[in-house]
Amino acid sequence: MEQTSATKSTVPQPEKGQQFNRSIGLVSNFALGFTYLSPLTAVYSLFALAITLAGPPAIWWILIAACGQLLVALVFGEVASQYPITGGLYPWARRLWGKKYAWIAAWIYLWALVVTITSIVEYTSTFVASLFHYGDTPFAMLLTSVVLLTIMMGVNMSGTKNLARVARFGFWCEIISVIALGIYLLIFHRNQPFSVVFDAMGALAKDGSYGTAFMSASLMGLFMFFGFEACGNVAEEVKNPGRKIPVAMILSIVFGAISAVISILGYLLSSPDLMNIVSGKIADPIPAILNDALGEKGATLFIVIAIVAMLSCILSLQAALSRLIFSFSRDKMLPGSEWMAKISKHSVPDNAMLVSCLLPMVICVWVYFQPDNLARITAFAVIGIYVSFQMVILAALRQRLKGWKPAGEWTLGSWGMLVNVLALAYGIGGIWLLAQPADSATFIDRWTVLIGLALIIGSGLVYMTIARPFGHSDAPENDAIEYAKRLNLSREY
């Protein structure tokens, strides 16, 4: 996007030689968001858990979460259009509220992304182990995860163009493995009526309530529909970002919802033994369904495609995390900021990328000692994402109540206030669902998600109090109304 004089004077600029190349178009930006959102990853990782908890009606969480996160994406689109700055949530929160608020929002988001990468690479490792027929022991999973993270870091460091190419390739793998396969199963291997999506098949919570059981299956939908914000995380590498980033965010969610529904319907309706899946007797249903429908060779082929798509998701996540760390470091907000704010000759923040690889590896080591906590780790990642998202949504609503009218090239106009309020209501509901205690006898296991969130927020507040990192940068803050006026005035001339 060609910068106006207002943009040049207000948007924090990198040092000379530390600039990104605008090499990402709409399709690549959408592919980046879609592969980060990765409906395949959520379906393959959480299908069995969701169906066991709530039966086939668990599929409705895909549409519920998609509609709610679409509201969030619309608000993000307005903010990203006015502030097309690398780093996404951090600069958005800073410009909408202030430096302290932005720091803690980005701190939560940063660690949620780290844990998200960890959970996805762990899920991917199980498929790799299945493909090459070696045991999924804790050590094997740790070694596989480290290798996969390292390979994806190498691809990311090779340049933004390669990131875009792999994202596009991963996108087509997602399309093949979710939409094409889902349609094939629905047409040629359907064993169940469509009405099965309204049949709980005896799934009930321990208290005898189906409502509780249905709510407990929400993780599949809530886990699936974030990642669209990655379209804004690389804003300074996108051509005409004020227009293309909001569109890419929306497309990521819409196509994600369509592909996920088709995929899950395909697995549900083609299953010849759905009752045993709901009861938990078939512990790993997707390979069983694929073997029945495609044979061993066909199932192996789709496992390979699934692995490629999941690796593309990890690649996109690493890219998003590295840009957040770079943006944070550019404003001197973290220890070692000067080192992490450097950009390589390939226009990639290599040092921030290295940190983005090493931090998930550290948590993979923890998973090695606590392999049964992977589902809780996933829930912690999602609640961290939701909290940080809602901090931006709340900040945007606060500015609207003060009179802010977004002045980017893409806006919601008079619908902005209503969409903002509904997005906040949805996010609060999602956080409440994610905060529910796990079914465990021990206090720590029951409340792992909230304990983890409290530790992250608490450590962030302690570091803020002691080091006062938010005071290290003179980047603009809390200027949404003023900056919107400047943009409007610049267009008049």
Side-chain angles (χ1 to χ4, degrees):
M1 183 181 71
E2 184 179 352
Q3 291 180 314
T4 64
S5 58
T7 305
K8 290 178 180 178
S9 65
T10 312
V11 175
Q13 297 295 312
E15 298 175 6
K16 186 176 181 180
Q18 299 297 305
Q19 297 181 358
F20 292 107
N21 293 326
R22 292 197 182 276
S23 58
I24 300 178
L26 175 60
V27 174
S28 294
N29 193 226
F30 157 58
L32 179 66
F34 184 84
T35 54
Y36 176 170
L37 183 143
S38 188
L40 177 145
T41 301
V43 170
Y44 275 49
S45 302
L46 298 172
F47 174 82
L49 176 65
I51 300 304
T52 301
L53 291 172
I59 191 175
W60 293 106
W61 276 111
I62 301 299
L63 298 179
I64 294 170
C67 291
Q69 288 293 67
L70 182 60
L71 296 170
V72 174
L74 292 173
V75 178
F76 279 12
E78 283 193 308
V79 179
S81 185
Q82 178 164 314
Y83 296 115
I85 311 169
T86 286
L89 267 70
Y90 163 64
W92 299 344
R94 185 181 180 106
R95 306 297 286 268
L96 291 171
W97 196 302
K99 55 189 179 183
K100 295 180 182 179
Y101 187 85
W103 195 93
I104 196 65
W107 177 258
I108 297 169
Y109 181 61
L110 186 155
W111 285 105
L113 280 184
V114 169
V115 178
T116 300
I117 293 173
T118 304
S119 63
I120 293 177
V121 77
E122 290 283 348
Y123 288 127
T124 307
S125 296
T126 62
F127 281 88
V128 173
S130 174
L131 177 66
F132 292 104
H133 305 290
Y134 61 83
D136 56 349
T137 63
F139 179 76
M141 293 300 94
L142 173 61
L143 184 60
T144 305
S145 296
V146 169
V147 170
L148 295 180
L149 286 169
T150 304
I151 292 173
M152 292 303 98
M153 180 183 69
V155 175
N156 260 311
M157 285 184 170
S158 67
T160 303
K161 288 186 178 179
N162 286 334
L163 167 64
R165 291 189 188 104
V166 176
R168 287 196 298 270
F169 183 67
F171 167 76
W172 287 112
C173 286
E174 288 269 358
I175 294 299
I176 292 171
S177 56
V178 289
I179 295 181
L181 178 59
I183 291 173
Y184 174 81
L185 293 175
L186 287 171
I187 293 175
F188 298 106
H189 291 277
R190 188 157 70 87
N191 292 301
Q192 306 289 340
F194 281 99
S195 60
V196 77
V197 298
F198 300 100
D199 184 358
M201 293 189 163
L204 294 173
K206 285 190 174 181
D207 62 3
S209 167
Y210 181 72
T212 304
F214 183 71
M215 292 297 179
S216 67
S218 62
L219 182 60
M220 181 170 66
L222 299 177
F223 179 62
M224 185 176 299
F225 291 102
F226 63 88
F228 57 87
E229 76 282 0
C231 300
N233 288 347
V234 295
E236 291 169 34
E237 299 161 79
V238 177
K239 304 170 186 176
N240 192 12
R243 290 185 180 276
K244 292 181 178 178
I245 289 173
V247 175
M249 288 181 179
I250 293 168
L251 288 176
S252 296
I253 292 177
V254 171
F255 274 82
I258 292 171
S259 60
V261 167
I262 291 174
S263 178
I264 294 177
L265 275 177
Y267 289 122
L268 284 176
L269 303 189
S270 66
S271 172
D273 201 5
L274 189 55
M275 183 62 74
N276 280 336
I277 294 176
V278 176
S279 67
K281 292 180 180 178
I282 299 177
D284 199 5
I286 289 181
I289 294 170
L290 290 178
N291 276 319
D292 181 73
L294 306 175
E296 185 177 348
K297 291 184 179 179
T300 299
L301 173 63
F302 274 93
I303 288 175
V304 171
I305 294 173
I307 289 171
V308 172
M310 295 170 88
L311 289 176
S312 181
C313 177
I314 295 168
L315 185 79
S316 300
L317 279 162
Q318 277 189 344
L321 178 58
S322 68
R323 271 57 173 189
L324 174 64
I325 292 174
F326 168 83
S327 180
F328 230 17
S329 299
R330 185 166 64 180
D331 284 356
K332 303 174 183 177
M333 294 290 195
L334 293 171
S337 286
E338 184 177 351
W339 178 73
M340 291 187 291
K342 294 184 181 299
I343 296 178
S344 72
K345 63 181 180 180
H346 298 296
S347 298
V348 175
D350 275 359
N351 296 338
M353 181 65 69
L354 180 61
V355 174
S356 300
C357 180
L358 290 176
L359 289 177
M361 285 184 184
V362 172
I363 302 180
C364 284
V365 173
W366 186 80
V367 174
Y368 167 75
F369 291 103
Q370 300 285 337
D372 294 336
N373 281 333
L374 185 56
R376 297 185 184 95
I377 288 174
T378 303
F380 163 75
V382 182
I383 198 172
I385 295 287
Y386 267 63
V387 169
S388 54
F389 275 21
Q390 292 311 304
M391 289 184 72
V392 175
I393 297 297
L394 178 62
L397 181 59
R398 171 178 174 266
Q399 289 291 346
R400 290 184 199 278
L401 293 173
K402 293 168 63 177
W404 175 52
K405 294 183 179 179
E409 297 177 272
W410 188 94
T411 70
L412 294 170
S414 59
W415 289 94
M417 179 67 80
L418 176 61
V419 171
N420 205 150
V421 171
L422 292 175
L424 183 62
Y426 164 77
I428 293 172
I431 291 169
W432 179 83
L433 286 171
L434 292 164
Q436 296 306 298
D439 184 14
S440 176
T442 64
F443 177 83
I444 293 179
D445 285 345
R446 280 178 58 81
W447 299 101
T448 296
V449 173
L450 286 184
I451 291 172
L453 183 63
L455 287 173
I456 293 300
I457 295 175
S459 62
L461 292 174
V462 169
Y463 182 74
M464 280 180 63
T465 302
I466 296 173
R468 301 183 66 81
F470 50 81
H472 296 166
S473 171
D474 58 358
E477 60 174 317
N478 193 22
D479 68 343
I481 296 174
E482 175 190 354
Y483 185 60
K485 290 178 180 177
R486 290 189 196 181
L487 282 177
N488 288 328
L489 284 173
S490 70
R491 293 190 183 109
E492 292 178 6
Y493 297 99

